[in-house]
Amino acid sequence: MLSFPTPSVYQSSKCFVTYGVMGHLDPNQPPTKSKPWSTVAGQDFINRVELIIPQEAFEVVRKFLNEKAAPEFQRVVMSLHDILSGDFFTEYIKKGNVMMLSEGRKGIDNVFTFRNGILTMLLDKEAYERAGLVGKPDGVKGKRGLKPRWVVEVDLTSSSMVPGKKGFDRLIYASKNAFNTPITWLFCNLSSTIPNPDPLAPHSPTRCAAEPSVLENLDAMLPTLKPPVDAIGPEGREELEYFSTELYEWLSLVRLQSPRIQVGDQVDPYLCRYQVPGDGQQGKICKLTWQGFLAPSWCREILLNLVAELPSKTWFSFSTTTFSKGMAGDNSEISLFRPQGAPGEYVMWEIKSHE
Amino acid sequence: MLKQSNTNLKSPNLTESTTFPNTTFTTTTTTKTTEMSTEMDIDPPTTNITITTKPTKSSKSQTLTQTTIRSPVFSYAHLSLVSPFPSSSSSSQNTPSLDDLTARHYLTTALRQFLGDTGASLAIDMLLVKGTECWVRVPREDLAAFAAAVTAYPGHNVGGEEQMLMRVVGCGDWLGALVGREGEARVWG
């Protein structure tokens, strides 16, 4: 009837739901390769982390959070050439392990990122041609249209990436001539040591710490916090899809602090027809939010702590959202939920769009 | 003889280990140790190997089931009330705050103007209204029409001369990702 395309530009993201078992956690040998851990650690730049727990578990969480320092990051204005030269390059890029993201919208502006010593440049046609570096087409070829873009990736940790070598000098030339304007960067040092003197200091960075903001004693209507038993059966896929969509919506409403999930909310059905799924159970919950430039390794560490320290029958939900990318500002997200009274089990939502 | 008993043991173990990994782990070791003591001299190395591999298998993480949700029932939108003339100094301070009913009224007016009665009948659920921000839920297939109607709306008068309109801050199929996007600008300073 209406001639609007149904998956609109805003609706390119899909949700991959995994229901699995975590296995025993050995604190001396934390798992890295298996499913929930590798997915959490494999994200790029995380903007927001949210944790939802029942109120009675808050003391445990506060205890282990007090033992840790809040994750720190810096905001700094510098040009690409500043990063690729002098002490900053040798101390942070070559020797250290840093994570950096430049300002701009991916897919529209020229965006630079540093991760694990790899420089990635997402460039439009003009910048790509001016840079004179070798890259490959960005995005799906059929959809490139009139605005083709390129992505250039350089592994700066390789032994050929030193001043005097051809490939590196080309990069320096491009950084001096094509990308010489200073831009804002978010900077996060992943290694525990800071070189002395700090090569970042001359650029006068703004130091920020992502302190958690806590919302306690939220009186909420609870949905069913356990996957249906027949989710694993032959016809379980539909059952799981239904359960996970409803639970995800409820968790998102908690994160939004919507009055719709609070006890005693009496909204007229003309305004909202949302109803908390389940049998009308009530409970006090607690929400913690970190916002900043967070490393996936830090998220994995918090998740490991949660699994190890919380009583095994307690439910919790842990979500991480990346910085937005793409024209419609899409971002990818991973949410992990441990069901109530089912130690070791987890439900994970991976939301991402095809890039 | 020994091989046969081994295979018979294995097949039920595998199906059980998905549901109760710990209990099967203990039962297998006990049966294996009794076997080992009785038939020690026949074939000791193979039994040793099965004992060492079994526990690691059951304690590993594993996926029980997986699915991909491509088209959920609902989509979500984050809107904010703005003045189309931000230059006038008084309007920024006097931006009226929204409540459920006013927000719903603005959206219905926008939809009616764009799509007539079809638009006005679109099912909107108000999830949160706070200050000038507003979060709504619409059926997934209506999101494109909804976003277009809100974007095309020229605004209306509030309190005589002040003109206000709704801006789409973000929308998508997954509310959590939309909520997580909030406050990103603050990180950049």
Side-chain angles (χ1 to χ4, degrees):
Chain A
M1 187 176 56
L2 300 173
S3 57
F4 291 102
T6 355
S8 66
V9 284
Y10 307 111
Q11 295 169 311
S12 56
S13 299
K14 277 182 226 156
C15 179
F16 303 92
V17 184
T18 312
Y19 177 30
V21 183
M22 250 185 257
H24 175 68
L25 198 72
D26 182 2
N28 300 322
Q29 263 181 306
T32 47
K33 284 185 182 154
S34 51
K35 188 70 189 248
W37 310 104
S38 60
T39 325
V40 170
Q43 301 176 90
D44 51 3
F45 307 104
I46 289 162
N47 166 41
R48 191 163 165 148
V49 172
E50 272 169 305
L51 171 68
I52 304 167
I53 43 170
Q55 182 63 39
E56 62 264 23
F58 180 58
E59 265 314 302
V60 182
V61 174
R62 189 162 64 181
K63 218 171 151 194
F64 79 71
L65 284 179
N66 277 345
E67 288 164 13
K68 283 178 185 293
E72 283 193 0
F73 64 96
Q74 272 102 307
R75 196 165 52 233
V76 64
V77 178
M78 59 202 294
S79 70
L80 188 63
H81 185 248
D82 293 334
I83 296 173
L84 296 175
S85 56
D87 280 349
F88 193 96
F89 183 66
T90 43
E91 294 293 335
Y92 276 130
I93 309 286
K94 278 283 185 193
K95 283 187 206 160
N97 184 13
V98 297
M99 182 174 93
M100 287 178 85
L101 173 69
S102 83
E103 67 181 332
R105 293 154 297 171
K106 283 181 188 171
I108 301 164
D109 304 319
N110 296 328
V111 176
F112 308 94
T113 65
F114 285 93
R115 215 172 138 238
N116 303 327
I118 294 173
L119 163 66
T120 311
M121 306 191 236
L122 302 157
L123 306 172
D124 59 22
K125 191 177 174 183
E126 194 218 339
Y128 178 67
E129 284 173 357
R130 274 162 53 99
L133 297 165
V134 184
K136 49 184 187 211
D138 187 13
V140 188
K141 266 197 179 160
K143 275 195 176 173
R144 295 176 78 212
L146 294 169
K147 289 223 176 276
R149 300 182 59 84
W150 275 268
V151 52
V152 180
E153 268 191 14
V154 186
D155 185 0
L156 294 169
T157 51
S158 88
S159 53
S160 64
M161 281 294 150
V162 284
K165 294 271 185 181
K166 229 181 191 174
F168 189 76
D169 285 349
R170 254 189 180 190
L171 188 63
I172 293 292
Y173 179 84
S175 73
K176 269 186 190 160
N177 293 289
F179 316 118
N180 52 359
T181 43
I183 39 176
T184 311
W185 297 81
L186 292 177
F187 173 94
C188 180
N189 188 3
L190 298 178
S191 61
S192 48
T193 52
I194 300 169
N196 193 15
D198 191 351
L200 191 66
H203 302 283
S204 47
T206 319
R207 282 176 194 285
C208 316
E211 293 283 355
S213 61
V214 185
L215 191 75
E216 276 188 83
N217 284 319
L218 209 69
D219 269 314
M221 302 293 290
L222 301 180
T224 323
L225 293 168
K226 208 170 181 310
V229 185
D230 42 356
I232 317 169
E235 275 103 43
R237 191 159 283 189
E238 215 163 277
E239 198 82 24
L240 179 70
E241 205 172 306
Y242 190 71
F243 165 79
S244 54
T245 314
E246 274 193 334
L247 182 60
Y248 184 78
E249 189 178 39
W250 182 81
L251 290 169
S252 305
L253 286 170
V254 174
R255 290 165 64 188
L256 184 64
Q257 297 172 38
S258 164
R260 297 297 95 86
I261 50 109
Q262 281 166 18
V263 172
D265 177 57
Q266 287 180 329
V267 73
D268 194 272
Y270 169 72
L271 290 171
C272 185
R273 291 156 309 151
Y274 176 80
Q275 292 219 311
V276 177
D279 45 10
Q281 221 187 327
Q282 299 180 3
K284 280 193 190 302
I285 52 175
C286 171
K287 183 177 85 94
L288 289 93
T289 311
W290 291 262
Q291 182 133 33
F293 187 57
L294 307 165
S297 52
W298 177 81
C299 297
R300 187 175 150 269
E301 216 172 281
I302 291 287
L303 186 60
L304 276 169
N305 272 323
L306 282 171
V307 174
E309 308 270 336
L310 281 180
S312 62
K313 301 229 164 162
T314 311
W315 64 272
F316 72 83
S317 151
F318 183 77
S319 353
T320 58
T321 320
T322 62
F323 280 85
S324 56
K325 36 196 151 192
M327 195 91 85
D330 286 354
N331 41 9
S332 52
E333 176 177 278
I334 288 174
S335 282
L336 194 123
F337 175 77
R338 188 170 76 176
Q340 191 170 31
E345 286 183 17
Y346 71 92
V347 179
M348 180 169 66
W349 295 265
E350 267 175 89
I351 292 157
K352 56 185 174 193
S353 60
H354 188 77
E355 279 174 39
Chain B
M1 170 68 189
L2 179 74
K3 268 184 185 169
Q4 265 188 352
S5 69
N6 258 343
T7 46
N8 282 342
L9 264 175
K10 254 182 195 168
S11 52
N13 272 348
L14 277 176
T15 49
E16 269 178 31
S17 66
T18 52
T19 42
F20 315 103
N22 287 328
T23 46
T24 44
F25 161 60
T26 47
T27 49
T28 45
T29 42
T30 47
T31 49
K32 284 289 144 79
T33 43
T34 49
E35 249 181 45
M36 207 171 74
S37 56
T38 51
E39 296 170 319
M40 184 75 110
D41 27 2
I42 303 172
D43 203 12
T46 49
T47 45
N48 268 339
I49 286 163
T50 47
I51 286 165
T52 48
T53 50
K54 267 281 149 61
T56 49
K57 248 186 188 170
S58 61
S59 69
K60 252 189 188 169
S61 300
Q62 49 183 314
T63 306
L64 299 178
T65 175
Q66 263 177 317
T67 177
T68 307
I69 308 176
R70 288 186 177 81
S71 49
V73 186
F74 294 109
S75 285
Y76 307 86
H78 176 197
L79 312 162
S80 83
L81 190 71
V82 288
S83 163
F85 310 109
S87 52
S88 56
S89 56
S90 63
S91 66
S92 59
Q93 289 153 12
N94 300 345
T95 308
S97 61
L98 283 170
D99 59 64
D100 281 351
L101 262 178
T102 8
R104 169 82 216 219
H105 170 66
Y106 289 179
L107 294 174
T108 318
T109 323
L111 282 159
R112 189 188 293 282
Q113 182 177 342
F114 192 57
L115 298 164
D117 283 348
T118 321
S121 67
L122 206 137
I124 307 171
D125 294 319
M126 315 299 297
L127 298 178
L128 174 73
V129 176
K130 198 172 145 196
T132 57
E133 308 277 296
C134 160
W135 298 76
V136 298
R137 179 177 85 164
V138 292
R140 181 174 192 264
E141 60 270 26
D142 293 336
L143 182 68
F146 175 82
V150 173
T151 316
Y153 190 55
H156 54 259
N157 294 329
V158 178
E161 69 261 39
E162 199 95 61
Q163 211 187 17
M164 303 306 295
L165 51 86
M166 298 288 252
R167 187 173 73 92
V168 178
V169 181
C171 48
D173 283 348
W174 307 100
L175 182 59
L178 216 59
V179 175
R181 200 183 296 172
E182 217 196 350
E184 204 180 295
R186 275 202 302 275
V187 178
W188 286 104

